[in-house]
Amino acid sequence: MADKPLEEWLASHPLKKPGMFKDGYRRADVDDVLDKIADRLRANRQFADLLLNLDFPTAPRAEAYDRAQVANLFDNLKWGSDPRK
């Protein structure tokens, strides 16, 4: 088990930028969903509805997170796996 509670880990977990000359998902939109999930976790509320039909806009590398990293994180959360492992 990880040292930090999941909501703290989500708030501080840095996602990688996309590879060189690639775009990715816009950081602000991904961070917004992660903040909402962390808020619900702190309030001991369900967050599964936030994971339905995610469709993040793309952004250039300087303003983006790697698509695979984002997909992996949200898939783990969606299926109840602990992404800290």
Side-chain angles (χ1 to χ4, degrees), residues 10-11 28 30-40 42 50:
L10 287 172
V30 173
D31 289 341
D32 184 47
V33 173
L34 289 173
D35 289 344
K36 289 177 182 177
I37 290 171
D39 288 344
R40 289 197 186 178
R42 285 183 194 103
L50 297 174

Side-chain angles (χ1 to χ4, degrees), residues 18 22-30 54-68 70:
K22 293 185 178 181
D23 62 3
Y25 293 131
R26 190 165 55 192
R27 270 189 253 158
D29 293 279
V30 173
L54 291 173
D55 186 25
F56 297 113
T58 59
R61 182 178 190 268
E63 302 166 12
Y65 289 132
D66 180 80
R67 292 173 191 247
V70 171

Side-chain angles (χ1 to χ4, degrees), residues 1-6 81-85:
M1 194 73 170
D3 294 334
K4 292 182 180 181
L6 182 56
S81 300
D82 190 338
R84 297 172 288 182
K85 296 179 182 180

Side-chain angles (χ1 to χ4, degrees), residues 9-20:
W9 184 85
L10 287 172
S12 66
H13 180 64
L15 291 165
K16 292 182 182 178
K17 287 184 177 182
M20 206 56 136

